[in-house]
Amino acid sequence: MYSEELVVGWACRKVNRPVKWTSDRTEAFLADAHGRDHVAHAEMAMDKNGKFLAMRVNTTANLGAYLSTFATMVPSYLYAFLLAGQYSTPLIYSEVKAVFTNTAPVDAARGAGRPEATFLLERLVDVCAEDMGLDPAEIRRRNFIPVDAFPYQTPVVQCYDSGDYNAALDKALALADYEGFAGRAEEAKSRGKCRGIGLSSYVEACGIAPSAAVGQLGAGVGLWESAQVRFNPTGNVQVFTGTHSHGQGHETTFAQLVTEQLGVPIENIEVIHGDTSKTQFGMGTYGSRSLAVGGVAIAKACEKLIEKGKKIAAHALEAAEGDIEFADGNFAIAGTDKAMNIAEVAFNAYVPHSYPEGLEPGFDENAFFDPMNFSFPAGTHICEVEVDPDTGVVEIVKYSAVDDFGKLINPMIVEGQVHGGIVHGVGQALLEGCQYDSDGQLITASYMDYAMPRADNVPSFDVDYAPTNPPHNPLGVKGCGEAGAIGAPPAVINAISNALGIKHIDMPATPENVWRAAQTATS
Amino acid sequence: MAENGVGASVRRKEDYRFLTGKGSYTDDLNVVGQTHAYFVRSPHAHATINSIDTAAAAAADGVVAVLTGDDLAADGIGPLICGVNVTSDDGEPHRAPVHSALAQGKVNYVGDHVAVVIAETLAEAKDAAEKVEVDYGILPAVTDTATAADDDQQQIHEVAPNNQCYNWPFGDKAAVDAAFESAHKVSSLDLVNNRMVTNPMEPRAAAGEYNSGTEEITLHLTTQNPHVHRLVMSAFNQLAPEHKLRVVGPDVGGGFGVKIFRVLRRVGCRLGLP
Amino acid sequence: MNVNGESISGEVEDRMLLVEFLREHLRLTGTHVGCDTSQCGACVVHVNGVSVKSCTTLAVQAEGGDVTTIEGLAINGELHPMQQAFKDNHGLQCGFCTPGMVMSAIDIVNRNGSDVDEATVRKELEGNICRCTGYHNIVKAVHAGAKNMGG
C-alpha cells in the first residue's frame, strides 16, 4: 500500500469533496516500490562427478528507506526457500542481511524473490559446469530431482508437488536445436560475431499460499480464496471472485471453468471482481495464484450448485434425488429422457411455488478454497544470442521456453503470460538498471534514462509445455504469470557469458558493459 | 469438453472494451465536484524537516487544502505497515521504522511525501505545490547496498542500528561447512541482482469520494487486491470502519507486484481478537 | 476540429495538450497517458490520417484537422480489421497501451503496405511500450491486421 492511496482516502473526507490523484511517470519512478537490488556471494561444493553436495549463499538485500508492505518477505522466505531450484542438493545454508538505504522502498516485482534465487543458482550452476568441464545441460541432468522422488522435500522448507525436469530439459534442447549450436557458432564467427547459448532451469512457488504454510511463518490471516456463483432467474450467471484481474484475462478463463462445469454458454457468464461492495472477501491476485486458488474456489461453488440443482430437479421432475444425474448442463432422471436444463432449474429455484419444507429456494452458492500446498511450476528456458564484440550489442536470435504449468485452461492466455514474462526478464538482463547517485538522486527517473524493452529488442519466442499433474490441486493447475521473468535473466546472461567465454557479467548487460567484458576477454 | 471450456483458446471477453477505448481505469473516472491532489515530495534523499510553511500555497488560486503529516497525525491516521515478520539472528523481530504516509520531521528518500495540495484543477495544485516552503536540514545519504550496514555509514533510522533491518540465517551451517571441507571441488560466484522499476504502463492512481450522509468513503485504486486494501486501511490506519469503506479496483493497467498489498501479520491481534 | 467524424469546437488555453483536450474536455478516455517524456505511445491518435503522440501535440495544433481516436475506429460496433486482429491474436493483456498500439499499427500498415515484414513492424513499434505481452502477439496481430486491411 502507498501513502498516496491512504492520503486520498483521508483527504476526501477531510475536505468533503471528491479527490483524484494520478501519478505521472516521474513520480512512478521515484515512489513506486522498486524490485530486486541484491548483492550476493554463492558457493557450491561438488563431488568428483559434479554432483552438488552443499550450497552456501550470503546475500545483502536493499529494502530502501522504509519497509513496504511485503518487503521483509521478498528476500527471505520467497528467496532462500527457492534456492534448491530443480536440484537435489542435500544441504543449503543461506544468510540474508536486509538493509535500509535512502532510496525508494523495495518490494515485490514480478516473481518477487524467486527471480533473485533463480538468477543466483542458475548462474552458479553454469560456473560449476565450466569448473568441472561438463556441458551445462549435463551438469543439470546429473543433479535434477528425479521424477520418482516427488513429492520432494527440499532442505529449504518447500515440498515440491510434482515435476519432470528431464522432460522439460529434453524438449527445450530439441526446440532450441542445442545439437546444432556449434555449427551456428562457427558460422557466426565467420561474420565476426560471438554466438552463445544459455540454459536456465527454474522452479517457482505459486498459488501463494496455503494458510497452514504461512501460519508456520508467523502469519495471522489465511490465504484462501473465495467465490460466489450466482444464477439469475433468467438463467445467466454471475461469478464473483476475490481475485483481481489486471491483464490476466480472468473474465475469460474463469468463465471457461464455469461453462465447462455447468454447461452454461460462455456468453451468459459474467465474471465480477475488484469491488468490495460487490464481491465477497478475497485476497486478490499476486504470486500467480488466481487460477490455482481462486479458480478452485469457483469450481467448488459450481459443485455445490450441481448438488442443489439435483434436489430441485428431483422435486420438479418428481423423482428421487439419487436418480438425478447431471451432465452437459442437464439434470436428468437416470435412464429416462426426462430432464431439465440448468437454466430451467435456476428459474424453478426462484419461483418455488410448491417447495416442500427443507428445500431451500434460490440458486446461488459460495465456496472458499485453501490449498494444501504451494504449486511449483518449473521449466527450462534456452536463450541464444549473438554478440557484436566491436559494439557490445547483444541480439537475442532465438529463445525457447518449455514450462510445466500443469493443466492449461486457456493456452492462448498462458502463452501470452509466458511471452510477457520473458520480456520482463530480458529487460532486466539487457536493459533495465535503476541508478541512484551517491547523493541519493535517482538518475533514471524517466523512459529517456531507464531503458524499457521495446518491440525491436526482442524476437518472437518458441514456447512449449511439459506438464505434470500437481496432486494437491483439484484443477491440476499450477500458475504461469511469473515464469518468464524468473527463467529469462539467467538464460540470457548464461548465453552472453558463453558467447564471450567469460565467467560472469552483471545485469544489465548493456552494450557498454558487454563491450568492456569483450575487450577484457580478448586482451 | 464443453465448447469454450477447459483447454480452449477462447478469445477474451474483456478485449472488446479495451480495443474500443471503453476500458475504465482509475484516471478515467470523473465525478461532479472533483478536486485534484498533487504531492509535495522531498528533493533530498535524507534530511530533517525543520519547518513547513503552507500559508502561501493555501492562499493560491483554486486551492482547497494543503495538508501535512501533522494534520494526518491529528486525525489519528496510522502509519503504513509491513505485513511479514522475519526474526533476526539475535532472536529479535526485524527492525521496523515508523512510516507515516506524510513525513513527520524527516524525509528518507527523494520522492518521499512531505505534503499534499488539493485544488480545483491539477494545474492549480501543481502551481501551489511550488509555494510550499520546506526548510530542510540535509544529511548524508546512504545508497549503496553492499556497504549500507558498514560501521562508518550515516544512520537512517534510530530503531535500526547499522541500517540493518534483519540478518536472517537459514540452514544447518555446521553441516554445510563440513560438506565444503570435504568437497572435491568448490565453485563460487559474486553477483549483483540489479534494481528494477516495475513500470506497469498504467501509473498508479487513487480517486476518493466521501458521502457525508452515509459516512462512507469510496476509494477507487489501482490495486491488485481491494479487500485487503480495505482491511488494512481500516484495521491499521483507522481510515474508516470496514463497513464504511468501499475499495474498488476498476480496470487496472498491469500490476506485476507494484499494486499489490497483502498482510501476513496478526491482524486478529490488532483487532483485539483472540 | 473534427473528432471521430464529429465537428467539435472549444476554447482552450494555448498550453493545453491534445491528449488533455480529448480526455478532459471530450471525455474520450480511451487515449491514455503512460509517461511524461513522449516515449510510451499510449497516447497515439491520428491527426489528418497520420499517427501523432497527443501528449506532445498542442490542442491548437490540431485546429481544423481531422482527429481519430481509438473510439472512432469501430463502425456501428464492428471492429476495425486491426482491432479485430488484436483480439484474434491476443495482442493485448491489461489494455492500457492497446489504444496507442492499435493506432500506431494502422499507421505502420498505411505507410508500409499490407506485406510489411517483421523487422519493420518491430522497428516502427519502437515508440510504443507494452509491459504485458512481450510484443510477440502484438507483432502477430499487426501482420494479421495488415492482411485484413489490405484485403
Side-chain angles (χ1 to χ4, degrees):
Chain A
M1 196 172 79
Y2 289 94
S3 294
E4 297 91 348
E5 299 166 349
L6 183 59
V7 167
V8 165
W10 162 66
C12 72
R13 181 171 57 198
K14 194 157 184 74
V15 303
N16 201 11
R17 294 272 301 273
V19 176
K20 183 161 85 174
W21 169 78
T22 302
S23 173
D24 62 31
R25 186 57 61 182
T26 303
E27 288 181 288
F29 274 103
L30 288 172
D32 277 11
H34 293 180
R36 323 283 193 244
D37 203 342
H38 287 192
V39 177
H41 176 73
E43 298 166 284
M44 187 75 86
M46 290 174 282
D47 73 9
K48 61 184 188 326
N49 298 315
K51 193 93 172 117
F52 302 155
L53 302 173
M55 183 163 78
R56 211 158 41 191
V57 182
N58 208 307
T59 307
T60 304
N62 188 347
L63 301 184
Y66 304 103
L67 295 180
S68 181
T69 45
F70 208 176
T72 49
M73 188 181 196
V74 174
S76 55
Y77 311 144
L78 290 179
Y79 169 73
F81 294 169
L82 267 296
L83 283 172
Q86 297 193 352
Y87 310 110
S88 57
T89 316
L91 292 162
I92 296 174
Y93 178 74
S94 155
E95 210 170 300
V96 179
K97 181 187 285 186
V99 297
F100 293 106
T101 59
N102 295 113
T103 62
V106 178
D107 207 324
R110 200 168 191 166
R114 292 151 287 175
E116 294 91 314
T118 304
F119 183 67
L120 176 134
L121 178 60
E122 288 302 290
R123 276 270 52 233
L124 180 62
V125 167
D126 262 30
V127 172
C128 291
E130 179 69 26
D131 289 351
M132 293 300 293
L134 290 171
D135 185 272
E138 177 57 24
I139 199 165
R140 284 174 170 79
R141 231 187 268 288
R142 286 188 191 184
N143 288 285
F144 277 161
I145 297 161
V147 68
D148 57 6
F150 291 91
Y152 178 81
Q153 179 60 53
T154 71
V156 280
V157 177
Q158 301 288 16
C159 183
Y160 294 166
D161 50 359
S162 67
D164 186 345
Y165 302 147
N166 272 304
L169 176 68
D170 288 343
K171 220 167 176 175
L173 293 173
L175 198 60
D177 185 21
Y178 195 69
E179 296 263 303
F181 171 73
R184 296 193 294 278
E186 203 54 44
E187 186 277 329
K189 203 171 165 189
S190 71
R191 290 182 282 111
K193 300 285 179 66
C194 305
R195 206 159 169 124
I197 195 161
L199 277 65
S200 156
S201 299
Y202 75 91
V203 175
E204 75 150 319
C206 276
I208 299 170
S211 297
V214 296
Q216 287 169 3
L217 299 175
V221 294
L223 288 171
W224 39 264
E225 195 45 87
S226 71
Q228 180 185 2
V229 180
R230 179 199 296 166
F231 271 79
N232 294 317
T234 53
N236 48 38
V237 180
Q238 288 174 297
V239 179
F240 300 87
T241 171
T243 67
H244 191 265
S245 186
H246 33 277
Q248 296 90 341
H250 296 167
E251 293 168 38
T252 307
T253 303
F254 288 169
Q256 285 179 256
L257 289 177
V258 174
T259 192
E260 174 82 22
Q261 217 171 339
L262 301 183
V264 178
I266 198 163
E267 57 273 18
N268 293 348
I269 302 166
E270 194 71 25
V271 175
I272 294 146
H273 60 87
D275 185 338
T276 57
S277 70
K278 286 186 184 166
T279 64
Q280 68 294 347
F281 204 89
M283 288 297 169
T285 288
Y286 46 82
S288 304
R289 71 188 295 276
S290 293
L291 183 58
V293 189
V296 175
I298 292 171
K300 292 204 171 293
C302 289
E303 282 169 22
K304 289 185 182 177
L305 282 169
I306 292 168
E307 286 314 303
K308 176 149 191 198
K310 285 180 179 171
K311 290 189 174 67
I312 294 167
H315 169 69
L317 297 171
E318 298 176 335
E321 188 190 330
D323 291 339
I324 302 292
E325 289 178 341
F326 180 74
D328 301 328
N330 287 305
F331 292 91
I333 304 174
T336 74
D337 59 358
K338 285 184 76 179
M340 294 172 80
N341 73 35
I342 196 165
E344 292 170 321
V345 167
F347 185 79
N348 191 291
Y350 292 109
V351 191
H353 285 164
S354 59
Y355 274 24
E357 202 176 325
L359 184 57
E360 187 188 0
F363 208 41
D364 180 4
E365 294 288 348
N366 273 303
F368 284 64
F369 176 64
D370 193 346
M372 295 291 290
N373 193 357
F374 290 78
S375 72
F376 294 91
T380 290
H381 288 205
I382 301 181
C383 178
E384 191 165 328
V385 299
E386 219 167 83
V387 179
D388 184 335
D390 296 329
T391 62
V393 170
V394 175
E395 186 192 353
I396 296 176
V397 289
K398 190 169 168 63
Y399 194 104
S400 314
V402 176
D403 297 295
D404 168 15
F405 299 137
K407 187 192 275 185
L408 308 183
I409 306 299
N410 185 321
M412 175 191 81
I413 288 175
V414 170
E415 194 173 322
Q417 290 288 313
V418 175
H419 296 157
I422 291 170
V423 173
H424 218 132
V426 168
Q428 175 170 23
L430 293 183
L431 299 160
E432 298 179 46
C434 175
Q435 298 286 336
Y436 284 90
D437 71 9
S438 58
D439 292 330
Q441 292 296 329
L442 181 64
I443 53 180
T444 50
S446 80
Y447 289 148
M448 308 286 278
D449 312 294
Y450 183 93
M452 291 281 282
R454 297 172 193 242
D456 57 351
N457 296 125
V458 287
S460 292
F461 308 105
D462 298 316
V463 176
D464 204 347
Y465 308 97
T468 62
N469 183 26
H472 298 300
N473 192 285
L475 289 175
V477 300
K478 286 191 167 188
C480 65
E482 296 163 298
I486 294 169
V492 174
I493 297 299
N494 285 344
I496 297 171
S497 303
N498 176 247
L500 297 178
I502 57 174
K503 181 178 177 183
H504 180 64
I505 182 167
D506 273 325
M507 301 188 290
T510 59
E512 181 186 344
N513 293 344
V514 172
W515 180 82
R516 287 186 192 284
Q519 298 307 305
T520 314
T522 53
S523 65
Chain B
M1 184 181 92
E3 190 191 1
N4 300 323
V6 171
S9 286
V10 178
R11 297 310 185 251
R12 299 200 319 168
K13 291 165 79 78
E14 40 275 85
D15 285 355
Y16 186 83
R17 70 173 186 272
F18 293 139
L19 281 164
T20 53
K22 303 295 183 197
S24 180
Y25 301 88
T26 301
D27 189 52
D28 298 341
L29 305 172
N30 291 290
V31 294
V32 174
Q34 173 173 282
T35 62
H36 296 264
Y38 190 76
F39 283 82
V40 177
R41 294 176 185 276
S42 171
H44 305 296
H46 197 195
T48 54
I49 298 177
N50 301 325
S51 65
I52 304 176
D53 183 351
T54 59
D61 284 349
V63 171
V64 175
V66 184
L67 303 171
T68 67
D70 287 346
D71 299 307
L72 201 66
D75 282 2
I77 301 296
L80 303 176
I81 61 156
C82 171
V84 188
N85 184 43
V86 174
T87 303
S88 210
D89 52 356
D90 58 6
E92 296 290 317
H94 70 263
R95 307 296 197 272
V98 173
H99 185 189
S100 174
L102 293 172
Q104 289 173 353
K106 193 162 175 279
V107 285
N108 292 302
Y109 67 101
V110 172
D112 206 350
H113 312 73
V114 175
V116 63
V117 179
I118 295 161
E120 299 293 341
T121 70
L122 181 58
E124 286 167 337
K126 284 183 178 179
D127 288 346
E130 289 180 13
K131 296 187 164 71
V132 175
E133 292 288 339
V134 186
D135 179 26
Y136 292 104
I138 298 171
L139 299 167
V142 181
T143 59
D144 179 47
T145 307
T147 60
D150 288 358
D151 286 338
D152 58 351
Q153 282 284 11
Q154 172 74 27
Q155 277 292 297
I156 302 172
H157 301 291
E158 259 177 51
V159 298
N162 284 90
N163 297 327
Q164 184 175 302
C165 178
Y166 58 75
N167 189 60
W168 179 70
F170 188 85
D172 185 342
K173 187 170 189 307
V176 169
D177 288 348
F180 270 85
E181 289 296 317
S182 61
H184 167 76
K185 175 83 191 167
V186 172
S187 293
S188 69
L189 180 66
D190 289 292
L191 53 74
V192 170
N193 202 293
N194 48 328
R195 190 181 182 104
M196 294 179 78
V197 183
T198 307
N199 272 307
M201 293 316 297
E202 181 204 17
R204 289 187 297 114
E209 209 174 337
Y210 178 64
N211 183 326
S212 58
T214 61
E215 299 181 321
E216 189 184 37
I217 295 172
T218 299
L219 199 50
H220 283 78
L221 297 176
T222 46
T223 175
Q224 295 179 219
N225 33 6
H227 282 94
V228 186
H229 246 106
R230 181 179 69 162
L231 169 65
V232 173
M233 285 186 166
S234 185
F236 291 91
N237 305 126
Q238 293 81 42
L239 180 61
E242 249 184 309
H243 65 296
K244 293 293 184 186
L245 179 58
R246 176 184 172 201
V247 176
V248 185
D251 286 329
V252 174
F256 315 114
V258 180
K259 298 168 182 172
I260 194 176
F261 188 63
R262 64 191 282 236
V263 58
L264 297 175
R265 203 154 68 175
R266 297 196 175 275
V267 175
C269 297
R270 187 63 187 252
L271 294 172
L273 302 174
Chain C
M1 69 180 79
N2 225 306
V3 179
N4 298 332
E6 278 182 47
S7 179
I8 300 288
S9 62
E11 288 282 316
V12 299
E13 279 189 77
D14 295 350
R15 66 174 176 174
M16 176 165 275
L17 299 168
L18 179 56
V19 69
E20 294 169 339
F21 184 67
L22 294 171
R23 286 181 59 83
E24 283 155 35
H25 283 232
L26 305 183
R27 293 287 185 245
L28 292 170
T29 54
T31 301
H32 297 148
V33 179
C35 75
D36 21 71
T37 51
S38 202
Q39 293 283 310
C40 81
C43 65
V44 170
V45 299
H46 290 180
V47 177
N48 298 324
V50 176
S51 68
V52 300
K53 286 183 171 170
S54 62
C55 74
T56 28
T57 306
L58 295 169
V60 292
Q61 283 179 282
E63 192 175 5
D66 278 322
V67 177
T68 307
T69 70
I70 191 74
E71 290 93 341
L73 285 183
I75 296 167
N76 297 328
E78 191 181 330
L79 296 177
H80 181 280
M82 190 59 79
Q83 290 171 307
Q84 187 64 44
F86 270 69
K87 182 175 164 76
D88 291 344
N89 292 280
H90 190 30
L92 66 155
Q93 290 181 22
C94 83
F96 193 80
C97 77
T98 308
M101 281 285 178
V102 170
M103 300 310 285
S104 288
I106 292 169
D107 189 54
I108 288 170
V109 176
N110 285 342
R111 283 184 291 102
N112 296 282
S114 58
D115 54 354
V116 56
D117 62 28
E118 175 169 347
T120 305
V121 170
R122 285 189 176 274
K123 189 167 187 315
E124 299 223 345
L125 280 179
E126 204 254 1
N128 291 76
I129 302 176
C130 169
R131 194 55 142 171
C132 296
T133 64
Y135 301 106
H136 180 116
N137 284 341
I138 289 177
V139 172
K140 255 171 77 179
V142 175
H143 279 118
K147 284 209 176 62
N148 295 342
M149 283 169 67

